[in-house]
Each structure stands twice: as C-alpha cells, then as structure tokens.
C-alpha cells in the first residue's frame, strides 16, 4: 500500500475528539515506511491543521482534503492543489432556499464563521444539547459573526455551506432542502445533525484522484477509513475500503472490510493486521 486516507470525526478521532496514542503511533510507523497519510474531511482546512501537525504530515509529504473534497492542500508546501467552490450565484441560491427551513446555516471566509444564529443548539451524537455554532467555530479556529441575511451577505465563491438541526427534523426535510439543487450541487449528510452543500460532482473520491493520479498512486494502492455518508465514494474508490464499526449502514455495504470502532483502536488494529504483518 502507498497511501492511507482517513476521515477525521468518527474515524480518526475518538468520541471525545482525541487522537489515541496507538492510532498516532501506527500512522507515524506507516509514514516512516514510505506510506503517504491523507486526511479527508468535511472540516474546513483550518480545522485540520492541528492534526496534520500532530501526525507530522509536513515531514512525510502528506495532504489535506477539506470541505468534503472541495479543496486539497499539500501540507509541506501549503500549496493549494485543487479548489472547486460553488459560484456566488449557487451559494446565494442555497442560502435563500434555506430560509424556509428550521436550520442553522454556517459559512466561512478567512478567519470568520458567519451564521444566522450564534446561540443555536442541536443534539450531539449522544443526544445531548450542543451549541453547534460554538462547536464548529472552535473546531475550525474561527471568530464568530452573526448576519441577519447570509444570502445578501455572500459575495464570494464558497467551498461549503453547512446546515445543522435536530436529526429527526433533517430526516424529514432534507429531500426538500436539496430538491432545487439535484444535478446541480452535491448535497450530503455528514452526520445525522449536519447536511452540507458543495459544488457539483465534488466528493472525497474526486479529490483523491486529482492528487494521487499525478503521483502514480493507483486506487489499488490506497487504504481508506471512514464512518459517514460522505465517505461512501472514498471507500468505493480505494483498493481497500474500511468502515468503522460505528459507521452508517450505507457505508458498510460498500466497504471491503469492517474494523473496530473509533473508540476501540479500529485504525491501529486494522493496520497492524493488514499493513504491518
């Protein structure tokens, strides 16, 4: 194998949003053996930099695939290898359409995250109340700014529009939320309380192919780990697609293998058995 691709939340990190010592050691060991490590997440690039540093990706020529595949960064050089954002018109259309739904909308620009309600709460993975805006802004290292009309505010191409609400509500309305943008944008769940919009045909698999093909790394030489709906194309792309035990059932159906959960050293255990043995 020549590359390991890892989703972050629910995959690389534990439920406590921590990188375990064993998983970190396994990924450093793989890199020392010449295997590239690539982080591929719905997170903004800024929300991935700390992990990139902890895993020493700059030292070992790793990459960051952010915004669900909308942007790719070479960690060592900081060079932007791929960037396909929604147009201003597409972004405005999504933001205008979202006004009729009971969702918190978040967009970013430079050091700021802009939202329609900085105090908005939803339920986390354990069903506990969560200030979703604060949670996202901390994860992306953003300052916060509230805007009454995000559609009117937007005047720049945007990599991702994030919406959040209670899981039951999103299940009821997500088809209506994405209806005007079918065959125009990529619309996907990234957690049961997140529904996101990116440019058409954007996903993690396309981003990986854009980066890996020029390096001569073929699909058969890639191991990919994931847990969510936005990891389906990535696992289908990889020669070895690995679903975490805590993954959604749709992902498990396309995976080649299943490993332990993100809280039970799933990545480290799989690499020990299939890469290092």
């Amino acid at each position: 194998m020549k590359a390991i691709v890892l989703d972050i939340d629910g995959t690389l990190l534990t439920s406590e949003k921590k990188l375990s010592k064993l998983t970190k050691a396994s990924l450093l060991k793989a890199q020392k053996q010449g295997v590239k490590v690539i982080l591929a997440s719905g997170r903004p690039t800024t929300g991935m930099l700390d992990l990139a540093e902890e895993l020493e990706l700059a030292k070992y020529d790793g990459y960051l695939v952010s915004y669900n595949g909308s942007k790719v960064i070479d960690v060592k050089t900081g060079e932007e290898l791929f960037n396909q954002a929604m147009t201003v018109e597409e972004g405005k259309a999504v933001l205008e359409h979202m006004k009729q739904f009971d969702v918190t909308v978040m967009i970013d620009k430079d050091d700021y995250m802009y939202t329609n309600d900085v105090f908005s709460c939803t339920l986390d993975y354990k069903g506990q109340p969560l200030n979703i805006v604060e949670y996202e802004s901390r994860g992306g290292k953003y300052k916060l700014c509230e805007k009454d009309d995000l559609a009117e505010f937007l005047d720049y191409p945007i990599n991702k529009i994030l919406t959040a609400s209670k899981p039951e509500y999103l299940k009821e309305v997500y088809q209506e939320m994405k209806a005007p943008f079918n065959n125009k944008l990529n619309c996907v769940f990234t957690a049961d309380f997140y529904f996101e919009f990116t440019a058409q045909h954007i996903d993690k698999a396309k981003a990986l192919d854009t980066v890996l093909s020029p390096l001569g790394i073929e699909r058969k030489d890639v191991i990919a780990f994931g847990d969510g709906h936005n990891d389906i194309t990535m696992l289908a792309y990889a020669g070895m697609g690995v679903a975490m035990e805590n993954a959604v059932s749709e992902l498990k159906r396309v995976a080649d293998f299943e490993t332990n959960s993100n809280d039970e050293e799933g990545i480290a255990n799989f690499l020990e058995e299939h890469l290092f043995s």
Side-chain angles (χ1 to χ4, degrees):
M1 286 294 164
K2 298 180 180 179
I4 300 171
V5 187
L6 305 136
D7 172 58
I8 294 178
D9 300 291
T11 302
L12 177 62
L13 299 184
T14 68
S15 297
E16 302 301 320
K17 301 298 180 183
K18 294 180 180 179
L19 176 62
S20 75
K21 291 182 179 179
L22 187 57
T23 295
K24 177 180 178 179
S26 294
L27 293 172
L28 289 173
K29 180 179 178 180
Q31 290 179 103
K32 290 172 183 176
Q33 294 182 4
V35 180
K36 284 191 179 296
V37 168
I38 301 165
L39 303 184
S41 175
R43 289 188 178 198
T45 308
T46 54
M48 303 170 72
L49 296 177
D50 286 350
L51 277 171
E53 183 175 355
E54 190 170 359
L55 289 170
E56 301 182 32
L57 298 195
K59 179 179 179 180
Y60 295 106
D61 301 319
Y63 297 94
L64 299 181
V65 175
S66 55
Y67 298 107
N68 282 322
S70 179
K71 185 178 287 190
V72 181
I73 299 293
D74 182 324
V75 180
K76 185 174 184 177
T77 64
E79 181 184 359
E80 194 176 275
L81 304 177
F82 177 77
N83 185 8
Q84 186 173 333
M86 288 178 281
T87 65
V88 176
E89 292 74 22
E90 288 171 335
K92 281 182 174 293
V94 172
L95 294 170
E96 194 65 43
H97 185 57
M98 290 307 104
K99 291 178 181 178
Q100 63 185 290
F101 301 99
D102 185 19
V103 296
T104 301
V105 182
M106 290 165 273
I107 60 176
D108 70 298
K109 183 181 182 183
D110 301 326
D111 297 333
Y112 281 86
M113 172 175 283
Y114 298 91
T115 183
N116 52 334
D117 182 3
V118 296
F119 300 109
S120 180
C121 289
T122 185
L123 301 178
D124 66 12
Y125 296 98
K126 299 178 181 179
Q128 299 299 311
L130 173 69
N131 184 321
I132 196 67
V133 175
E134 180 184 14
Y135 173 78
E136 276 297 310
S137 63
R138 287 182 184 275
K141 312 296 184 186
Y142 290 120
K143 301 172 187 176
L144 273 175
C145 184
E146 191 172 274
K147 293 290 182 180
D148 292 332
D149 193 329
L150 291 172
E152 182 179 339
F153 167 74
L154 187 73
D155 62 357
Y156 56 93
I158 188 163
N159 288 94
K160 183 180 81 169
I161 294 175
L162 172 62
T163 72
S165 191
K166 293 180 179 178
E168 300 81 13
Y169 179 75
L170 283 180
K171 286 180 183 178
E172 291 176 6
V173 302
Y174 82 93
Q175 293 284 5
E176 297 173 53
M177 289 170 63
K178 74 186 188 77
F181 312 107
N182 287 332
N183 303 315
K184 296 179 181 179
L185 297 175
N186 193 42
C187 318
V188 65
F189 276 99
T190 54
D192 57 0
F193 51 84
Y194 281 149
F195 193 70
E196 307 187 2
F197 298 83
T198 53
Q200 188 176 22
H201 306 312
I202 284 296
D203 57 37
K204 294 181 181 182
K206 179 177 180 179
L208 289 173
D209 192 54
T210 300
V211 172
L212 297 179
S213 292
L215 297 174
I217 298 177
E218 300 179 26
R219 297 170 62 166
K220 64 181 180 64
D221 298 319
V222 178
I223 304 175
F225 294 87
D227 75 301
H229 293 93
N230 59 328
D231 298 317
I232 290 175
T233 61
M234 180 173 79
L235 265 63
Y237 172 87
M240 296 176 73
V242 188
M244 311 303 288
E245 186 180 7
N246 53 289
V248 297
S249 58
E250 292 88 344
L251 186 69
K252 291 181 178 180
R253 284 198 287 269
V254 304
D256 301 300
F257 300 91
E258 184 176 330
T259 189
N260 306 102
S261 76
N262 60 321
D263 289 324
E264 298 171 317
E265 303 293 359
I267 292 170
N269 292 341
F270 187 88
L271 293 179
E272 191 61 41
E273 180 179 354
H274 294 272
L275 186 64
F276 302 134
S277 60

